[in-house]
Amino acid sequence: MEPAAAGAVEPWSPEPDGTPPGQPEAGSRSDHPEVSYVLRVNGVDRPVAGAWIGESLLYVLRERLGLAGAKDGCAQGECGACSVQVDGRLVAACLVPAATAAGSEIRTVEGLGADGAPSDVQRALAATPVQCGFCLPGIAMTVHDLLEGNHAPTELETRQALCGNLCRCTGYRGVLDAVRTVVDERAAAAARAAAEAERDGGPGSRIPHQAGPPAGGTL
Ligand code: FES
Ligand code: FES
């Protein structure tokens, strides 16, 4: 084979023993302690046995637990494609050693919906025109995280929340519109629920009307 030109990127190939790049070689495992632990992912305990202690949460989710929703875009915390929540906090799974997440509640994009149906955020994002869609799982995690702490973000707040998610082929207009759609739908649903509770004699309707002070005097 011709040697690669200076600066050229060599095609990926496994190590001679089949070990993927970035993983300890089979012969050096004694230098890289293996551990077993349990990750709680989307409400389910998932045992991980005999894992190299340095494996990232992203690697373990994808390669050991079969949860491929979080994407491996850069493996260095810059693209947001691997975003997950750990104990309610949005993190780049590629930067978190998986063993340190044992005992935490991990939520991935697979856990955003309920009863097999996608969440409202996922539906809204799926309705936007996209090209490759590689960034969308990470964006869905970010939008959920945003709306959990801010029920009605401004466009600027949404843009700021998305600043860690790189989309290199479609752009962000559709995502911003999707967030607006979700916010409006949730507000409309809440208003409908309040109106129905009022009509059905809910707690709000039982609060007696308090008369105001008479004209020209106080009660
Ligand atoms: S793969 Fe983790 S931030 Fe890019
Ligand atoms: S749609 Fe391709 S990276 Fe966002």
Side-chain angles (χ1 to χ4, degrees):
M1 189 173 77
E2 292 290 317
V9 177
E10 297 258 18
W12 176 83
S13 62
E15 301 296 334
D17 66 351
T19 305
Q23 298 302 308
E25 295 173 21
S28 63
R29 295 241 179 239
S30 59
D31 298 332
H32 298 83
E34 293 183 351
V35 289
S36 296
Y37 47 88
V38 175
L39 293 181
R40 188 159 180 81
V41 186
N42 300 325
V44 178
D45 286 337
R46 304 291 305 270
V48 177
W52 173 47
I53 197 169
E55 287 176 4
S56 72
L57 180 56
L58 177 62
Y59 178 85
V60 170
L61 288 172
R62 290 180 58 84
E63 307 300 334
R64 291 188 180 275
L65 302 184
L67 295 170
K71 302 295 182 225
D72 187 350
C74 68
Q76 54 187 14
E78 293 186 356
C79 74
C82 65
S83 298
V84 300
Q85 284 180 322
V86 176
D87 288 336
R89 189 162 165 226
L90 196 68
V91 299
C94 65
L95 296 183
V96 177
T100 67
S104 294
E105 289 285 343
I106 300 162
R107 190 184 191 199
T108 70
V109 71
E110 289 91 347
L112 293 182
D115 302 325
S119 70
D120 53 358
V121 170
Q122 289 172 300
R123 283 197 304 274
L125 288 173
T128 65
V130 291
Q131 294 189 49
C132 77
F134 186 84
C135 60
L136 284 186
I139 287 177
M141 290 302 306
T142 296
V143 172
H144 268 273
D145 187 75
L146 169 68
L147 296 181
E148 282 166 10
N150 183 349
H151 299 310
T154 63
E155 182 167 313
L156 177 59
E157 289 170 332
T158 303
R159 286 179 180 274
Q160 288 171 333
L162 289 168
C163 69
N165 292 87
L166 297 185
C167 175
R168 64 180 185 175
C169 57
T170 299
Y172 299 88
R173 187 66 258 168
V175 176
L176 295 169
D177 291 344
V179 172
R180 190 76 257 151
T181 298
V182 171
V183 168
D184 290 346
E185 285 178 353
R186 289 185 181 183
R192 274 197 306 276
E196 284 171 16
E198 180 81 18
R199 192 189 60 222
D200 297 343
S205 66
R206 289 200 295 272
I207 297 174
H209 176 70
Q210 184 172 9
T218 57
L219 288 175

PDB file of all heavy atoms in Angstrom, residues 1-22:
ATOM      1  N   MET A   1       0.853  -1.200   0.000  1.00  0.00           N
ATOM      2  CA  MET A   1       0.000   0.000   0.000  1.00  0.00           C
ATOM      3  C   MET A   1       0.879   1.237   0.000  1.00  0.00           C
ATOM      4  O   MET A   1       1.908   1.286   0.658  1.00  0.00           O
ATOM      5  CB  MET A   1      -0.892  -0.022   1.248  1.00  0.00           C
ATOM      6  CG  MET A   1      -1.946   1.049   1.214  1.00  0.00           C
ATOM      7  SD  MET A   1      -3.119   0.885   2.591  1.00  0.00           S
ATOM      8  CE  MET A   1      -2.153   1.541   3.930  1.00  0.00           C
ATOM      9  N   GLU A   2       0.513   2.235  -0.786  1.00  0.00           N
ATOM     10  CA  GLU A   2       1.265   3.481  -0.834  1.00  0.00           C
ATOM     11  C   GLU A   2       1.206   4.173   0.509  1.00  0.00           C
ATOM     12  O   GLU A   2       0.151   4.207   1.149  1.00  0.00           O
ATOM     13  CB  GLU A   2       0.640   4.413  -1.880  1.00  0.00           C
ATOM     14  CG  GLU A   2       0.799   3.949  -3.314  1.00  0.00           C
ATOM     15  CD  GLU A   2       2.223   4.058  -3.793  1.00  0.00           C
ATOM     16  OE1 GLU A   2       2.856   5.083  -3.506  1.00  0.00           O
ATOM     17  OE2 GLU A   2       2.720   3.101  -4.416  1.00  0.00           O
ATOM     18  N   PRO A   3       2.331   4.737   0.987  1.00  0.00           N
ATOM     19  CA  PRO A   3       2.252   5.480   2.250  1.00  0.00           C
ATOM     20  C   PRO A   3       1.370   6.704   2.082  1.00  0.00           C
ATOM     21  O   PRO A   3       1.313   7.302   1.012  1.00  0.00           O
ATOM     22  CB  PRO A   3       3.716   5.861   2.527  1.00  0.00           C
ATOM     23  CG  PRO A   3       4.407   5.771   1.205  1.00  0.00           C
ATOM     24  CD  PRO A   3       3.674   4.734   0.410  1.00  0.00           C
ATOM     25  N   ALA A   4       0.640   7.062   3.149  1.00  0.00           N
ATOM     26  CA  ALA A   4      -0.248   8.218   3.081  1.00  0.00           C
ATOM     27  C   ALA A   4       0.569   9.486   2.939  1.00  0.00           C
ATOM     28  O   ALA A   4       1.647   9.612   3.509  1.00  0.00           O
ATOM     29  CB  ALA A   4      -1.105   8.293   4.349  1.00  0.00           C
ATOM     30  N   ALA A   5       0.066  10.411   2.115  1.00  0.00           N
ATOM     31  CA  ALA A   5       0.743  11.690   1.959  1.00  0.00           C
ATOM     32  C   ALA A   5       0.702  12.444   3.271  1.00  0.00           C
ATOM     33  O   ALA A   5      -0.186  12.234   4.101  1.00  0.00           O
ATOM     34  CB  ALA A   5       0.038  12.501   0.867  1.00  0.00           C
ATOM     35  N   ALA A   6       1.703  13.343   3.450  1.00  0.00           N
ATOM     36  CA  ALA A   6       1.741  14.118   4.688  1.00  0.00           C
ATOM     37  C   ALA A   6       0.441  14.873   4.860  1.00  0.00           C
ATOM     38  O   ALA A   6      -0.044  15.514   3.936  1.00  0.00           O
ATOM     39  CB  ALA A   6       2.916  15.094   4.651  1.00  0.00           C
ATOM     40  N   GLY A   7      -0.155  14.785   6.027  1.00  0.00           N
ATOM     41  CA  GLY A   7      -1.392  15.513   6.309  1.00  0.00           C
ATOM     42  C   GLY A   7      -2.639  14.761   5.902  1.00  0.00           C
ATOM     43  O   GLY A   7      -3.739  15.149   6.253  1.00  0.00           O
ATOM     44  N   ALA A   8      -2.491  13.672   5.117  1.00  0.00           N
ATOM     45  CA  ALA A   8      -3.685  12.936   4.698  1.00  0.00           C
ATOM     46  C   ALA A   8      -4.223  12.123   5.860  1.00  0.00           C
ATOM     47  O   ALA A   8      -3.479  11.700   6.737  1.00  0.00           O
ATOM     48  CB  ALA A   8      -3.343  12.018   3.530  1.00  0.00           C
ATOM     49  N   VAL A   9      -5.530  11.914   5.859  1.00  0.00           N
ATOM     50  CA  VAL A   9      -6.156  11.134   6.921  1.00  0.00           C
ATOM     51  C   VAL A   9      -6.154   9.678   6.516  1.00  0.00           C
ATOM     52  O   VAL A   9      -6.652   9.318   5.457  1.00  0.00           O
ATOM     53  CB  VAL A   9      -7.607  11.613   7.166  1.00  0.00           C
ATOM     54  CG1 VAL A   9      -8.270  10.758   8.225  1.00  0.00           C
ATOM     55  CG2 VAL A   9      -7.598  13.078   7.579  1.00  0.00           C
ATOM     56  N   GLU A  10      -5.542   8.849   7.329  1.00  0.00           N
ATOM     57  CA  GLU A  10      -5.509   7.415   7.050  1.00  0.00           C
ATOM     58  C   GLU A  10      -6.895   6.836   7.258  1.00  0.00           C
ATOM     59  O   GLU A  10      -7.595   7.225   8.188  1.00  0.00           O
ATOM     60  CB  GLU A  10      -4.541   6.732   8.017  1.00  0.00           C
ATOM     61  CG  GLU A  10      -3.113   7.201   7.846  1.00  0.00           C
ATOM     62  CD  GLU A  10      -2.284   6.210   7.082  1.00  0.00           C
ATOM     63  OE1 GLU A  10      -2.877   5.362   6.405  1.00  0.00           O
ATOM     64  OE2 GLU A  10      -1.059   6.282   7.163  1.00  0.00           O
ATOM     65  N   PRO A  11      -7.338   5.908   6.422  1.00  0.00           N
ATOM     66  CA  PRO A  11      -8.626   5.260   6.674  1.00  0.00           C
ATOM     67  C   PRO A  11      -8.582   4.507   7.987  1.00  0.00           C
ATOM     68  O   PRO A  11      -7.539   3.991   8.380  1.00  0.00           O
ATOM     69  CB  PRO A  11      -8.789   4.311   5.481  1.00  0.00           C
ATOM     70  CG  PRO A  11      -7.411   4.105   4.964  1.00  0.00           C
ATOM     71  CD  PRO A  11      -6.648   5.353   5.267  1.00  0.00           C
ATOM     72  N   TRP A  12      -9.745   4.455   8.669  1.00  0.00           N
ATOM     73  CA  TRP A  12      -9.801   3.771   9.951  1.00  0.00           C
ATOM     74  C   TRP A  12      -9.589   2.285   9.759  1.00  0.00           C
ATOM     75  O   TRP A  12     -10.061   1.684   8.807  1.00  0.00           O
ATOM     76  CB  TRP A  12     -11.169   3.985  10.603  1.00  0.00           C
ATOM     77  CG  TRP A  12     -11.277   3.207  11.878  1.00  0.00           C
ATOM     78  CD1 TRP A  12     -10.832   3.574  13.097  1.00  0.00           C
ATOM     79  CD2 TRP A  12     -11.844   1.900  12.033  1.00  0.00           C
ATOM     80  NE1 TRP A  12     -11.086   2.598  14.016  1.00  0.00           N
ATOM     81  CE2 TRP A  12     -11.704   1.551  13.396  1.00  0.00           C
ATOM     82  CE3 TRP A  12     -12.436   0.989  11.177  1.00  0.00           C
ATOM     83  CZ2 TRP A  12     -12.149   0.338  13.899  1.00  0.00           C
ATOM     84  CZ3 TRP A  12     -12.881  -0.221  11.686  1.00  0.00           C
ATOM     85  CH2 TRP A  12     -12.731  -0.534  13.032  1.00  0.00           C
ATOM     86  N   SER A  13      -8.827   1.699  10.640  1.00  0.00           N
ATOM     87  CA  SER A  13      -8.720   0.244  10.636  1.00  0.00           C
ATOM     88  C   SER A  13      -8.527  -0.193  12.071  1.00  0.00           C
ATOM     89  O   SER A  13      -7.928   0.514  12.875  1.00  0.00           O
ATOM     90  CB  SER A  13      -7.541  -0.216   9.782  1.00  0.00           C
ATOM     91  OG  SER A  13      -6.336   0.269  10.313  1.00  0.00           O
ATOM     92  N   PRO A  14      -9.068  -1.354  12.427  1.00  0.00           N
ATOM     93  CA  PRO A  14      -8.922  -1.812  13.803  1.00  0.00           C
ATOM     94  C   PRO A  14      -7.482  -2.160  14.111  1.00  0.00           C
ATOM     95  O   PRO A  14      -6.665  -2.339  13.208  1.00  0.00           O
ATOM     96  CB  PRO A  14      -9.823  -3.055  13.846  1.00  0.00           C
ATOM     97  CG  PRO A  14      -9.909  -3.520  12.436  1.00  0.00           C
ATOM     98  CD  PRO A  14      -9.781  -2.293  11.577  1.00  0.00           C
ATOM     99  N   GLU A  15      -7.166  -2.219  15.399  1.00  0.00           N
ATOM    100  CA  GLU A  15      -5.862  -2.699  15.808  1.00  0.00           C
ATOM    101  C   GLU A  15      -5.722  -4.154  15.362  1.00  0.00           C
ATOM    102  O   GLU A  15      -6.714  -4.822  15.062  1.00  0.00           O
ATOM    103  CB  GLU A  15      -5.736  -2.596  17.335  1.00  0.00           C
ATOM    104  CG  GLU A  15      -5.904  -1.177  17.870  1.00  0.00           C
ATOM    105  CD  GLU A  15      -4.811  -0.248  17.386  1.00  0.00           C
ATOM    106  OE1 GLU A  15      -3.709  -0.738  17.082  1.00  0.00           O
ATOM    107  OE2 GLU A  15      -5.055   0.958  17.293  1.00  0.00           O
ATOM    108  N   PRO A  16      -4.477  -4.677  15.314  1.00  0.00           N
ATOM    109  CA  PRO A  16      -4.293  -6.057  14.843  1.00  0.00           C
ATOM    110  C   PRO A  16      -5.155  -7.067  15.589  1.00  0.00           C
ATOM    111  O   PRO A  16      -5.578  -8.066  15.025  1.00  0.00           O
ATOM    112  CB  PRO A  16      -2.804  -6.312  15.092  1.00  0.00           C
ATOM    113  CG  PRO A  16      -2.178  -4.952  15.045  1.00  0.00           C
ATOM    114  CD  PRO A  16      -3.208  -4.009  15.593  1.00  0.00           C
ATOM    115  N   ASP A  17      -5.447  -6.813  16.875  1.00  0.00           N
ATOM    116  CA  ASP A  17      -6.268  -7.775  17.618  1.00  0.00           C
ATOM    117  C   ASP A  17      -7.750  -7.457  17.528  1.00  0.00           C
ATOM    118  O   ASP A  17      -8.564  -8.039  18.224  1.00  0.00           O
ATOM    119  CB  ASP A  17      -5.837  -7.814  19.087  1.00  0.00           C
ATOM    120  CG  ASP A  17      -6.135  -6.490  19.790  1.00  0.00           C
ATOM    121  OD1 ASP A  17      -6.503  -5.525  19.090  1.00  0.00           O
ATOM    122  OD2 ASP A  17      -6.011  -6.428  21.018  1.00  0.00           O
ATOM    123  N   GLY A  18      -8.115  -6.505  16.652  1.00  0.00           N
ATOM    124  CA  GLY A  18      -9.525  -6.175  16.475  1.00  0.00           C
ATOM    125  C   GLY A  18     -10.029  -5.122  17.426  1.00  0.00           C
ATOM    126  O   GLY A  18     -11.202  -4.785  17.417  1.00  0.00           O
ATOM    127  N   THR A  19      -9.173  -4.572  18.260  1.00  0.00           N
ATOM    128  CA  THR A  19      -9.598  -3.563  19.221  1.00  0.00           C
ATOM    129  C   THR A  19      -9.868  -2.248  18.511  1.00  0.00           C
ATOM    130  O   THR A  19      -9.041  -1.786  17.736  1.00  0.00           O
ATOM    131  CB  THR A  19      -8.493  -3.333  20.268  1.00  0.00           C
ATOM    132  OG1 THR A  19      -8.157  -4.582  20.858  1.00  0.00           O
ATOM    133  CG2 THR A  19      -8.971  -2.362  21.340  1.00  0.00           C
ATOM    134  N   PRO A  20     -11.036  -1.630  18.722  1.00  0.00           N
ATOM    135  CA  PRO A  20     -11.297  -0.336  18.082  1.00  0.00           C
ATOM    136  C   PRO A  20     -10.318   0.715  18.576  1.00  0.00           C
ATOM    137  O   PRO A  20      -9.815   0.612  19.698  1.00  0.00           O
ATOM    138  CB  PRO A  20     -12.724  -0.001  18.537  1.00  0.00           C
ATOM    139  CG  PRO A  20     -13.282  -1.256  19.092  1.00  0.00           C
ATOM    140  CD  PRO A  20     -12.128  -2.066  19.559  1.00  0.00           C
ATOM    141  N   PRO A  21     -10.037   1.723  17.747  1.00  0.00           N
ATOM    142  CA  PRO A  21      -9.161   2.803  18.194  1.00  0.00           C
ATOM    143  C   PRO A  21      -9.720   3.449  19.451  1.00  0.00           C
ATOM    144  O   PRO A  21     -10.924   3.575  19.601  1.00  0.00           O
ATOM    145  CB  PRO A  21      -9.194   3.792  17.020  1.00  0.00           C
ATOM    146  CG  PRO A  21      -9.685   3.017  15.860  1.00  0.00           C
ATOM    147  CD  PRO A  21     -10.551   1.937  16.400  1.00  0.00           C
ATOM    148  N   GLY A  22      -8.854   3.846  20.353  1.00  0.00           N
ATOM    149  CA  GLY A  22      -9.300   4.504  21.567  1.00  0.00           C
ATOM    150  C   GLY A  22      -9.590   3.543  22.692  1.00  0.00           C
ATOM    151  O   GLY A  22      -9.837   3.951  23.817  1.00  0.00           O
TER     152      GLY A  22
END
